[in-house]
Amino acid sequence: MAVKTFTAYEQLTSSDMNLYAANSGLVYVASGSFAGATQFDITGFSSTYKFYRLEFAAQRVDTAGGCVFSAQLYSGTTARTTTYYASAFFSSYLGTTGVGYTSNSSSSFVAGFADSGGYGIQTLDIHGMTSATFTMTGNAWDAGSARQYMLGASHFVTETNDKIRLSASAGTVTGYWRLYGYREP
Amino acid sequence: MMNTPQIATILDNGEYGQRDMTAEEIAQHEELVANAPQIDFSDRISD
C-alpha cells in the first residue's frame, strides 16, 4: 500500500506530495448544482476509484410537500431500467420506526428525499460503478418528515456505468451534490 | 403556459449546467414517477 512516514528534515518532493498528500483520503471528483429542476445527474464516475462517496442536499421548491428521488444508472445515454433491489429502514421524530420502502427487481432505486420544509441530506457510499454489480449504502435525512433513513440498493448486472440520474417524484427541487473517490492503495 | 421541466446534467459545451428536458427524458421521468415507491409522508411537519 502506498504510504510513507516522513522523517524530520526530509525534503518534500512534488512526487511524494502528489502521491501521499495531495490525493490522499477522500479525493474530490465532481460537483454540480441545480435550481427548480425535475431531474439531476451525478457525473464523474470512472474506473479511477473502486469506492465513491456521494453527498447531496436538496429542497423541494414548487409547493409545500415532500418527494422521493428515484434513480437509475446510465452508461452514456443508455439507461439501466431493470433489476434493481433496494430497501430502507427509518426512525422518526415521533419515535416511530419501520420499513420505509422495498424494491424487488424494480426499474429504479431510491437515492434520497427532498421537502419544502428544509434541505434533506444524503450520504451515500457507492461501489461497482465500473467493475462489478452496482451497490449503494448510506443514510438520508428527510427534513420534512424528520425521518432518518438507512438505505441501500443493488443492481444485479455486471456492467460499466458512468452516471446516476435522479428524478424527483413530485415537483421541482433545488440543491447541490459533491462526489468524492476513496483513494486507491 | 407551463415551463418545460429542467434537468441538471453535462451540457453540449461539456460543462455541468441546466437545460430543458427532452421529450424522451420527460417520458422516462413520468414512467419513473409512476413506478416510484410509495413513501409515507404522513408524519410531515407542516411548513
Side-chain angles (χ1 to χ4, degrees):
Chain A
M1 186 173 177
V3 296
K4 180 173 181 176
T5 299
F6 293 94
T7 57
Y9 308 106
E10 180 176 351
Q11 182 180 25
L12 300 180
T13 66
S14 60
S15 175
D16 279 352
M17 292 301 292
N18 286 330
L19 179 61
Y20 300 112
N23 297 296
S24 62
L26 275 173
V27 182
Y28 169 78
V29 172
S31 64
S33 61
F34 44 94
T38 300
Q39 291 183 322
F40 66 96
D41 288 343
I42 308 298
T43 60
F45 294 100
S46 72
S47 60
T48 300
Y49 302 102
K50 288 193 177 299
F51 297 91
Y52 285 90
R53 166 64 65 91
L54 170 63
E55 301 270 342
F56 76 91
Q59 182 175 20
R60 185 174 174 178
V61 294
D62 61 305
T63 189
C67 68
V68 61
F69 289 110
S70 291
Q72 288 180 321
L73 304 174
Y74 273 71
S75 176
T77 58
T78 301
R80 313 303 189 185
T81 60
T82 63
T83 329
Y84 294 101
Y85 294 81
S87 70
F89 193 86
F90 75 90
S91 63
S92 83
Y93 74 106
L94 294 175
T96 55
T97 61
V99 175
Y101 57 81
T102 59
S103 295
N104 185 355
S105 193
S106 299
S107 60
S108 64
F109 62 100
V110 172
F113 307 86
D115 193 277
S116 56
Y119 275 85
I121 181 172
Q122 278 71 212
T123 299
L124 304 171
D125 278 345
I126 293 166
H127 176 262
M129 279 296 284
T130 63
S131 61
T133 57
F134 165 87
T135 51
M136 177 197 83
T137 183
N139 293 283
W141 175 254
D142 177 358
S145 299
R147 282 189 172 190
Q148 174 66 44
Y149 285 88
M150 296 183 295
L151 64 163
S154 290
H155 182 234
F156 284 110
V157 181
T158 301
E159 58 197 359
T160 296
N161 298 291
D162 57 20
K163 182 172 72 183
I164 304 176
R165 175 162 292 173
L166 283 74
S167 281
S169 63
T172 56
V173 292
T174 290
Y176 37 86
W177 58 272
R178 305 286 185 263
L179 184 67
Y180 304 87
Y182 286 92
R183 174 180 173 267
E184 288 292 309
Chain B
M1 182 176 70
M2 293 185 65
N3 294 328
T4 304
Q6 298 255 298
I7 180 172
T9 186
I10 301 295
L11 304 178
D12 290 341
N13 62 6
E15 300 291 324
Y16 192 91
Q18 201 158 310
R19 59 164 172 77
D20 290 347
M21 290 168 65
T22 64
E24 181 180 7
E25 288 168 344
I26 292 172
Q28 288 177 330
H29 168 71
E30 290 174 349
E31 185 173 353
L32 273 177
V33 170
N35 293 303
Q38 296 300 308
I39 303 297
D40 179 11
F41 289 122
S42 62
D43 293 343
R44 189 176 171 274
I45 302 165
S46 298
D47 289 13

mmCIF file with all atom_site columns, all heavy atoms in Angstrom, chain A residues 114-139:
data_model
loop_
_atom_site.group_PDB
_atom_site.id
_atom_site.type_symbol
_atom_site.label_atom_id
_atom_site.label_alt_id
_atom_site.label_comp_id
_atom_site.label_asym_id
_atom_site.label_entity_id
_atom_site.label_seq_id
_atom_site.pdbx_PDB_ins_code
_atom_site.Cartn_x
_atom_site.Cartn_y
_atom_site.Cartn_z
_atom_site.occupancy
_atom_site.B_iso_or_equiv
_atom_site.pdbx_formal_charge
_atom_site.auth_seq_id
_atom_site.auth_comp_id
_atom_site.auth_asym_id
_atom_site.auth_atom_id
_atom_site.pdbx_PDB_model_num
ATOM 1   N N   . ALA A 1 114 ? -36.475 14.921 -0.654  1.00 0.00 ? 114 ALA A N   1
ATOM 2   C CA  . ALA A 1 114 ? -36.451 16.378 -0.557  1.00 0.00 ? 114 ALA A CA  1
ATOM 3   C C   . ALA A 1 114 ? -37.804 16.839 -0.036  1.00 0.00 ? 114 ALA A C   1
ATOM 4   O O   . ALA A 1 114 ? -38.824 16.186 -0.268  1.00 0.00 ? 114 ALA A O   1
ATOM 5   C CB  . ALA A 1 114 ? -36.162 17.004 -1.922  1.00 0.00 ? 114 ALA A CB  1
ATOM 6   N N   . ASP A 1 115 ? -37.806 17.949 0.653   1.00 0.00 ? 115 ASP A N   1
ATOM 7   C CA  . ASP A 1 115 ? -39.043 18.508 1.202   1.00 0.00 ? 115 ASP A CA  1
ATOM 8   C C   . ASP A 1 115 ? -38.960 20.026 1.159   1.00 0.00 ? 115 ASP A C   1
ATOM 9   O O   . ASP A 1 115 ? -37.865 20.599 1.204   1.00 0.00 ? 115 ASP A O   1
ATOM 10  C CB  . ASP A 1 115 ? -39.255 18.018 2.626   1.00 0.00 ? 115 ASP A CB  1
ATOM 11  C CG  . ASP A 1 115 ? -40.650 18.301 3.133   1.00 0.00 ? 115 ASP A CG  1
ATOM 12  O OD1 . ASP A 1 115 ? -40.881 19.443 3.604   1.00 0.00 ? 115 ASP A OD1 1
ATOM 13  O OD2 . ASP A 1 115 ? -41.505 17.417 3.046   1.00 0.00 ? 115 ASP A OD2 1
ATOM 14  N N   . SER A 1 116 ? -40.129 20.656 1.110   1.00 0.00 ? 116 SER A N   1
ATOM 15  C CA  . SER A 1 116 ? -40.157 22.112 1.074   1.00 0.00 ? 116 SER A CA  1
ATOM 16  C C   . SER A 1 116 ? -39.777 22.727 2.409   1.00 0.00 ? 116 SER A C   1
ATOM 17  O O   . SER A 1 116 ? -39.424 23.908 2.486   1.00 0.00 ? 116 SER A O   1
ATOM 18  C CB  . SER A 1 116 ? -41.556 22.593 0.683   1.00 0.00 ? 116 SER A CB  1
ATOM 19  O OG  . SER A 1 116 ? -42.525 22.058 1.561   1.00 0.00 ? 116 SER A OG  1
ATOM 20  N N   . GLY A 1 117 ? -39.836 21.944 3.474   1.00 0.00 ? 117 GLY A N   1
ATOM 21  C CA  . GLY A 1 117 ? -39.570 22.463 4.805   1.00 0.00 ? 117 GLY A CA  1
ATOM 22  C C   . GLY A 1 117 ? -38.108 22.686 5.115   1.00 0.00 ? 117 GLY A C   1
ATOM 23  O O   . GLY A 1 117 ? -37.781 23.326 6.124   1.00 0.00 ? 117 GLY A O   1
ATOM 24  N N   . GLY A 1 118 ? -37.205 22.185 4.281   1.00 0.00 ? 118 GLY A N   1
ATOM 25  C CA  . GLY A 1 118 ? -35.786 22.370 4.539   1.00 0.00 ? 118 GLY A CA  1
ATOM 26  C C   . GLY A 1 118 ? -34.963 21.378 3.739   1.00 0.00 ? 118 GLY A C   1
ATOM 27  O O   . GLY A 1 118 ? -35.506 20.418 3.187   1.00 0.00 ? 118 GLY A O   1
ATOM 28  N N   . TYR A 1 119 ? -33.671 21.627 3.695   1.00 0.00 ? 119 TYR A N   1
ATOM 29  C CA  . TYR A 1 119 ? -32.793 20.737 2.929   1.00 0.00 ? 119 TYR A CA  1
ATOM 30  C C   . TYR A 1 119 ? -32.664 19.386 3.618   1.00 0.00 ? 119 TYR A C   1
ATOM 31  O O   . TYR A 1 119 ? -32.367 19.298 4.806   1.00 0.00 ? 119 TYR A O   1
ATOM 32  C CB  . TYR A 1 119 ? -31.396 21.355 2.792   1.00 0.00 ? 119 TYR A CB  1
ATOM 33  C CG  . TYR A 1 119 ? -31.275 22.313 1.638   1.00 0.00 ? 119 TYR A CG  1
ATOM 34  C CD1 . TYR A 1 119 ? -31.650 23.642 1.779   1.00 0.00 ? 119 TYR A CD1 1
ATOM 35  C CD2 . TYR A 1 119 ? -30.800 21.888 0.410   1.00 0.00 ? 119 TYR A CD2 1
ATOM 36  C CE1 . TYR A 1 119 ? -31.553 24.523 0.714   1.00 0.00 ? 119 TYR A CE1 1
ATOM 37  C CE2 . TYR A 1 119 ? -30.690 22.762 -0.660  1.00 0.00 ? 119 TYR A CE2 1
ATOM 38  C CZ  . TYR A 1 119 ? -31.079 24.075 -0.505  1.00 0.00 ? 119 TYR A CZ  1
ATOM 39  O OH  . TYR A 1 119 ? -30.978 24.945 -1.557  1.00 0.00 ? 119 TYR A OH  1
ATOM 40  N N   . GLY A 1 120 ? -32.879 18.322 2.844   1.00 0.00 ? 120 GLY A N   1
ATOM 41  C CA  . GLY A 1 120 ? -32.533 16.993 3.289   1.00 0.00 ? 120 GLY A CA  1
ATOM 42  C C   . GLY A 1 120 ? -31.107 16.709 2.842   1.00 0.00 ? 120 GLY A C   1
ATOM 43  O O   . GLY A 1 120 ? -30.628 17.283 1.858   1.00 0.00 ? 120 GLY A O   1
ATOM 44  N N   . ILE A 1 121 ? -30.423 15.828 3.544   1.00 0.00 ? 121 ILE A N   1
ATOM 45  C CA  . ILE A 1 121 ? -29.060 15.497 3.196   1.00 0.00 ? 121 ILE A CA  1
ATOM 46  C C   . ILE A 1 121 ? -28.939 13.992 3.027   1.00 0.00 ? 121 ILE A C   1
ATOM 47  O O   . ILE A 1 121 ? -29.551 13.225 3.756   1.00 0.00 ? 121 ILE A O   1
ATOM 48  C CB  . ILE A 1 121 ? -28.052 16.003 4.247   1.00 0.00 ? 121 ILE A CB  1
ATOM 49  C CG1 . ILE A 1 121 ? -26.620 15.660 3.837   1.00 0.00 ? 121 ILE A CG1 1
ATOM 50  C CG2 . ILE A 1 121 ? -28.355 15.434 5.622   1.00 0.00 ? 121 ILE A CG2 1
ATOM 51  C CD1 . ILE A 1 121 ? -25.575 16.292 4.723   1.00 0.00 ? 121 ILE A CD1 1
ATOM 52  N N   . GLN A 1 122 ? -28.159 13.620 2.027   1.00 0.00 ? 122 GLN A N   1
ATOM 53  C CA  . GLN A 1 122 ? -27.888 12.218 1.754   1.00 0.00 ? 122 GLN A CA  1
ATOM 54  C C   . GLN A 1 122 ? -26.385 11.974 1.781   1.00 0.00 ? 122 GLN A C   1
ATOM 55  O O   . GLN A 1 122 ? -25.619 12.768 1.213   1.00 0.00 ? 122 GLN A O   1
ATOM 56  C CB  . GLN A 1 122 ? -28.400 11.834 0.355   1.00 0.00 ? 122 GLN A CB  1
ATOM 57  C CG  . GLN A 1 122 ? -29.873 11.520 0.301   1.00 0.00 ? 122 GLN A CG  1
ATOM 58  C CD  . GLN A 1 122 ? -30.808 12.732 0.479   1.00 0.00 ? 122 GLN A CD  1
ATOM 59  O OE1 . GLN A 1 122 ? -31.899 12.565 1.033   1.00 0.00 ? 122 GLN A OE1 1
ATOM 60  N NE2 . GLN A 1 122 ? -30.405 13.924 0.010   1.00 0.00 ? 122 GLN A NE2 1
ATOM 61  N N   . THR A 1 123 ? -25.942 10.902 2.444   1.00 0.00 ? 123 THR A N   1
ATOM 62  C CA  . THR A 1 123 ? -24.549 10.481 2.473   1.00 0.00 ? 123 THR A CA  1
ATOM 63  C C   . THR A 1 123 ? -24.515 9.046  1.999   1.00 0.00 ? 123 THR A C   1
ATOM 64  O O   . THR A 1 123 ? -24.994 8.149  2.702   1.00 0.00 ? 123 THR A O   1
ATOM 65  C CB  . THR A 1 123 ? -23.978 10.583 3.889   1.00 0.00 ? 123 THR A CB  1
ATOM 66  O OG1 . THR A 1 123 ? -24.041 11.939 4.320   1.00 0.00 ? 123 THR A OG1 1
ATOM 67  C CG2 . THR A 1 123 ? -22.536 10.124 3.917   1.00 0.00 ? 123 THR A CG2 1
ATOM 68  N N   . LEU A 1 124 ? -23.969 8.821  0.809   1.00 0.00 ? 124 LEU A N   1
ATOM 69  C CA  . LEU A 1 124 ? -24.076 7.522  0.166   1.00 0.00 ? 124 LEU A CA  1
ATOM 70  C C   . LEU A 1 124 ? -22.703 7.017  -0.255  1.00 0.00 ? 124 LEU A C   1
ATOM 71  O O   . LEU A 1 124 ? -21.938 7.743  -0.878  1.00 0.00 ? 124 LEU A O   1
ATOM 72  C CB  . LEU A 1 124 ? -24.975 7.624  -1.069  1.00 0.00 ? 124 LEU A CB  1
ATOM 73  C CG  . LEU A 1 124 ? -26.383 8.173  -0.822  1.00 0.00 ? 124 LEU A CG  1
ATOM 74  C CD1 . LEU A 1 124 ? -27.094 8.425  -2.140  1.00 0.00 ? 124 LEU A CD1 1
ATOM 75  C CD2 . LEU A 1 124 ? -27.187 7.214  0.036   1.00 0.00 ? 124 LEU A CD2 1
ATOM 76  N N   . ASP A 1 125 ? -22.403 5.767  0.076   1.00 0.00 ? 125 ASP A N   1
ATOM 77  C CA  . ASP A 1 125 ? -21.196 5.097  -0.411  1.00 0.00 ? 125 ASP A CA  1
ATOM 78  C C   . ASP A 1 125 ? -21.577 4.201  -1.580  1.00 0.00 ? 125 ASP A C   1
ATOM 79  O O   . ASP A 1 125 ? -22.556 3.469  -1.509  1.00 0.00 ? 125 ASP A O   1
ATOM 80  C CB  . ASP A 1 125 ? -20.552 4.277  0.705   1.00 0.00 ? 125 ASP A CB  1
ATOM 81  C CG  . ASP A 1 125 ? -19.687 5.115  1.613   1.00 0.00 ? 125 ASP A CG  1
ATOM 82  O OD1 . ASP A 1 125 ? -19.346 6.252  1.235   1.00 0.00 ? 125 ASP A OD1 1
ATOM 83  O OD2 . ASP A 1 125 ? -19.353 4.641  2.710   1.00 0.00 ? 125 ASP A OD2 1
ATOM 84  N N   . ILE A 1 126 ? -20.764 4.247  -2.612  1.00 0.00 ? 126 ILE A N   1
ATOM 85  C CA  . ILE A 1 126 ? -21.082 3.555  -3.858  1.00 0.00 ? 126 ILE A CA  1
ATOM 86  C C   . ILE A 1 126 ? -19.904 2.701  -4.284  1.00 0.00 ? 126 ILE A C   1
ATOM 87  O O   . ILE A 1 126 ? -18.751 3.140  -4.231  1.00 0.00 ? 126 ILE A O   1
ATOM 88  C CB  . ILE A 1 126 ? -21.422 4.581  -4.955  1.00 0.00 ? 126 ILE A CB  1
ATOM 89  C CG1 . ILE A 1 126 ? -22.717 5.299  -4.611  1.00 0.00 ? 126 ILE A CG1 1
ATOM 90  C CG2 . ILE A 1 126 ? -21.509 3.917  -6.322  1.00 0.00 ? 126 ILE A CG2 1
ATOM 91  C CD1 . ILE A 1 126 ? -22.981 6.534  -5.433  1.00 0.00 ? 126 ILE A CD1 1
ATOM 92  N N   . HIS A 1 127 ? -20.223 1.481  -4.743  1.00 0.00 ? 127 HIS A N   1
ATOM 93  C CA  . HIS A 1 127 ? -19.211 0.556  -5.244  1.00 0.00 ? 127 HIS A CA  1
ATOM 94  C C   . HIS A 1 127 ? -19.730 -0.091 -6.513  1.00 0.00 ? 127 HIS A C   1
ATOM 95  O O   . HIS A 1 127 ? -20.939 -0.274 -6.683  1.00 0.00 ? 127 HIS A O   1
ATOM 96  C CB  . HIS A 1 127 ? -18.924 -0.522 -4.186  1.00 0.00 ? 127 HIS A CB  1
ATOM 97  C CG  . HIS A 1 127 ? -17.974 -1.582 -4.648  1.00 0.00 ? 127 HIS A CG  1
ATOM 98  N ND1 . HIS A 1 127 ? -18.404 -2.801 -5.118  1.00 0.00 ? 127 HIS A ND1 1
ATOM 99  C CD2 . HIS A 1 127 ? -16.626 -1.606 -4.726  1.00 0.00 ? 127 HIS A CD2 1
ATOM 100 C CE1 . HIS A 1 127 ? -17.351 -3.532 -5.464  1.00 0.00 ? 127 HIS A CE1 1
ATOM 101 N NE2 . HIS A 1 127 ? -16.267 -2.833 -5.229  1.00 0.00 ? 127 HIS A NE2 1
ATOM 102 N N   . GLY A 1 128 ? -18.834 -0.439 -7.416  1.00 0.00 ? 128 GLY A N   1
ATOM 103 C CA  . GLY A 1 128 ? -19.217 -1.231 -8.573  1.00 0.00 ? 128 GLY A CA  1
ATOM 104 C C   . GLY A 1 128 ? -19.791 -0.447 -9.729  1.00 0.00 ? 128 GLY A C   1
ATOM 105 O O   . GLY A 1 128 ? -20.540 -1.000 -10.533 1.00 0.00 ? 128 GLY A O   1
ATOM 106 N N   . MET A 1 129 ? -19.468 0.841  -9.838  1.00 0.00 ? 129 MET A N   1
ATOM 107 C CA  . MET A 1 129 ? -19.982 1.593  -10.982 1.00 0.00 ? 129 MET A CA  1
ATOM 108 C C   . MET A 1 129 ? -19.389 1.081  -12.281 1.00 0.00 ? 129 MET A C   1
ATOM 109 O O   . MET A 1 129 ? -20.047 1.098  -13.324 1.00 0.00 ? 129 MET A O   1
ATOM 110 C CB  . MET A 1 129 ? -19.680 3.083  -10.841 1.00 0.00 ? 129 MET A CB  1
ATOM 111 C CG  . MET A 1 129 ? -20.638 3.837  -9.959  1.00 0.00 ? 129 MET A CG  1
ATOM 112 S SD  . MET A 1 129 ? -22.328 3.867  -10.583 1.00 0.00 ? 129 MET A SD  1
ATOM 113 C CE  . MET A 1 129 ? -22.196 5.077  -11.895 1.00 0.00 ? 129 MET A CE  1
ATOM 114 N N   . THR A 1 130 ? -18.116 0.636  -12.245 1.00 0.00 ? 130 THR A N   1
ATOM 115 C CA  . THR A 1 130 ? -17.468 0.233  -13.489 1.00 0.00 ? 130 THR A CA  1
ATOM 116 C C   . THR A 1 130 ? -16.880 -1.170 -13.461 1.00 0.00 ? 130 THR A C   1
ATOM 117 O O   . THR A 1 130 ? -16.432 -1.662 -14.485 1.00 0.00 ? 130 THR A O   1
ATOM 118 C CB  . THR A 1 130 ? -16.335 1.205  -13.856 1.00 0.00 ? 130 THR A CB  1
ATOM 119 O OG1 . THR A 1 130 ? -15.330 1.153  -12.833 1.00 0.00 ? 130 THR A OG1 1
ATOM 120 C CG2 . THR A 1 130 ? -16.837 2.631  -13.960 1.00 0.00 ? 130 THR A CG2 1
ATOM 121 N N   . SER A 1 131 ? -16.868 -1.814 -12.310 1.00 0.00 ? 131 SER A N   1
ATOM 122 C CA  . SER A 1 131 ? -16.119 -3.061 -12.228 1.00 0.00 ? 131 SER A CA  1
ATOM 123 C C   . SER A 1 131 ? -16.936 -4.254 -11.751 1.00 0.00 ? 131 SER A C   1
ATOM 124 O O   . SER A 1 131 ? -16.461 -5.369 -11.796 1.00 0.00 ? 131 SER A O   1
ATOM 125 C CB  . SER A 1 131 ? -14.934 -2.885 -11.275 1.00 0.00 ? 131 SER A CB  1
ATOM 126 O OG  . SER A 1 131 ? -15.396 -2.558 -9.986  1.00 0.00 ? 131 SER A OG  1
ATOM 127 N N   . ALA A 1 132 ? -18.134 -4.020 -11.294 1.00 0.00 ? 132 ALA A N   1
ATOM 128 C CA  . ALA A 1 132 ? -18.905 -5.127 -10.706 1.00 0.00 ? 132 ALA A CA  1
ATOM 129 C C   . ALA A 1 132 ? -20.367 -4.698 -10.682 1.00 0.00 ? 132 ALA A C   1
ATOM 130 O O   . ALA A 1 132 ? -20.742 -3.710 -11.264 1.00 0.00 ? 132 ALA A O   1
ATOM 131 C CB  . ALA A 1 132 ? -18.400 -5.434 -9.314  1.00 0.00 ? 132 ALA A CB  1
ATOM 132 N N   . THR A 1 133 ? -21.170 -5.477 -10.007 1.00 0.00 ? 133 THR A N   1
ATOM 133 C CA  . THR A 1 133 ? -22.550 -5.047 -9.843  1.00 0.00 ? 133 THR A CA  1
ATOM 134 C C   . THR A 1 133 ? -22.595 -3.841 -8.914  1.00 0.00 ? 133 THR A C   1
ATOM 135 O O   . THR A 1 133 ? -21.925 -3.792 -7.885  1.00 0.00 ? 133 THR A O   1
ATOM 136 C CB  . THR A 1 133 ? -23.413 -6.172 -9.263  1.00 0.00 ? 133 THR A CB  1
ATOM 137 O OG1 . THR A 1 133 ? -22.843 -6.596 -8.027  1.00 0.00 ? 133 THR A OG1 1
ATOM 138 C CG2 . THR A 1 133 ? -23.468 -7.354 -10.213 1.00 0.00 ? 133 THR A CG2 1
ATOM 139 N N   . PHE A 1 134 ? -23.388 -2.875 -9.265  1.00 0.00 ? 134 PHE A N   1
ATOM 140 C CA  . PHE A 1 134 ? -23.521 -1.629 -8.506  1.00 0.00 ? 134 PHE A CA  1
ATOM 141 C C   . PHE A 1 134 ? -24.150 -1.904 -7.148  1.00 0.00 ? 134 PHE A C   1
ATOM 142 O O   . PHE A 1 134 ? -25.150 -2.629 -7.042  1.00 0.00 ? 134 PHE A O   1
ATOM 143 C CB  . PHE A 1 134 ? -24.387 -0.662 -9.299  1.00 0.00 ? 134 PHE A CB  1
ATOM 144 C CG  . PHE A 1 134 ? -24.906 0.498  -8.510  1.00 0.00 ? 134 PHE A CG  1
ATOM 145 C CD1 . PHE A 1 134 ? -24.155 1.649  -8.376  1.00 0.00 ? 134 PHE A CD1 1
ATOM 146 C CD2 . PHE A 1 134 ? -26.167 0.455  -7.912  1.00 0.00 ? 134 PHE A CD2 1
ATOM 147 C CE1 . PHE A 1 134 ? -24.637 2.740  -7.661  1.00 0.00 ? 134 PHE A CE1 1
ATOM 148 C CE2 . PHE A 1 134 ? -26.658 1.537  -7.207  1.00 0.00 ? 134 PHE A CE2 1
ATOM 149 C CZ  . PHE A 1 134 ? -25.894 2.674  -7.075  1.00 0.00 ? 134 PHE A CZ  1
ATOM 150 N N   . THR A 1 135 ? -23.531 -1.341 -6.108  1.00 0.00 ? 135 THR A N   1
ATOM 151 C CA  . THR A 1 135 ? -24.152 -1.374 -4.788  1.00 0.00 ? 135 THR A CA  1
ATOM 152 C C   . THR A 1 135 ? -24.007 -0.006 -4.143  1.00 0.00 ? 135 THR A C   1
ATOM 153 O O   . THR A 1 135 ? -23.033 0.714  -4.376  1.00 0.00 ? 135 THR A O   1
ATOM 154 C CB  . THR A 1 135 ? -23.513 -2.434 -3.873  1.00 0.00 ? 135 THR A CB  1
ATOM 155 O OG1 . THR A 1 135 ? -22.094 -2.252 -3.876  1.00 0.00 ? 135 THR A OG1 1
ATOM 156 C CG2 . THR A 1 135 ? -23.846 -3.836 -4.320  1.00 0.00 ? 135 THR A CG2 1
ATOM 157 N N   . MET A 1 136 ? -24.993 0.345  -3.344  1.00 0.00 ? 136 MET A N   1
ATOM 158 C CA  . MET A 1 136 ? -25.031 1.629  -2.669  1.00 0.00 ? 136 MET A CA  1
ATOM 159 C C   . MET A 1 136 ? -25.525 1.408  -1.254  1.00 0.00 ? 136 MET A C   1
ATOM 160 O O   . MET A 1 136 ? -26.444 0.627  -1.017  1.00 0.00 ? 136 MET A O   1
ATOM 161 C CB  . MET A 1 136 ? -25.987 2.576  -3.402  1.00 0.00 ? 136 MET A CB  1
ATOM 162 C CG  . MET A 1 136 ? -26.162 3.931  -2.751  1.00 0.00 ? 136 MET A CG  1
ATOM 163 S SD  . MET A 1 136 ? -27.635 4.772  -3.368  1.00 0.00 ? 136 MET A SD  1
ATOM 164 C CE  . MET A 1 136 ? -28.900 4.013  -2.341  1.00 0.00 ? 136 MET A CE  1
ATOM 165 N N   . THR A 1 137 ? -24.917 2.098  -0.305  1.00 0.00 ? 137 THR A N   1
ATOM 166 C CA  . THR A 1 137 ? -25.408 2.058  1.057   1.00 0.00 ? 137 THR A CA  1
ATOM 167 C C   . THR A 1 137 ? -25.174 3.413  1.683   1.00 0.00 ? 137 THR A C   1
ATOM 168 O O   . THR A 1 137 ? -24.225 4.114  1.349   1.00 0.00 ? 137 THR A O   1
ATOM 169 C CB  . THR A 1 137 ? -24.708 0.959  1.885   1.00 0.00 ? 137 THR A CB  1
ATOM 170 O OG1 . THR A 1 137 ? -25.288 0.916  3.187   1.00 0.00 ? 137 THR A OG1 1
ATOM 171 C CG2 . THR A 1 137 ? -23.224 1.207  2.019   1.00 0.00 ? 137 THR A CG2 1
ATOM 172 N N   . GLY A 1 138 ? -26.070 3.806  2.579   1.00 0.00 ? 138 GLY A N   1
ATOM 173 C CA  . GLY A 1 138 ? -25.871 5.103  3.200   1.00 0.00 ? 138 GLY A CA  1
ATOM 174 C C   . GLY A 1 138 ? -27.034 5.544  4.047   1.00 0.00 ? 138 GLY A C   1
ATOM 175 O O   . GLY A 1 138 ? -27.836 4.726  4.510   1.00 0.00 ? 138 GLY A O   1
ATOM 176 N N   . ASN A 1 139 ? -27.076 6.854  4.256   1.00 0.00 ? 139 ASN A N   1
ATOM 177 C CA  . ASN A 1 139 ? -28.082 7.458  5.119   1.00 0.00 ? 139 ASN A CA  1
ATOM 178 C C   . ASN A 1 139 ? -28.717 8.653  4.429   1.00 0.00 ? 139 ASN A C   1
ATOM 179 O O   . ASN A 1 139 ? -28.069 9.348  3.628   1.00 0.00 ? 139 ASN A O   1
ATOM 180 C CB  . ASN A 1 139 ? -27.429 7.936  6.429   1.00 0.00 ? 139 ASN A CB  1
ATOM 181 C CG  . ASN A 1 139 ? -26.933 6.788  7.265   1.00 0.00 ? 139 ASN A CG  1
ATOM 182 O OD1 . ASN A 1 139 ? -27.696 6.104  7.932   1.00 0.00 ? 139 ASN A OD1 1
ATOM 183 N ND2 . ASN A 1 139 ? -25.638 6.556  7.212   1.00 0.00 ? 139 ASN A ND2 1
#
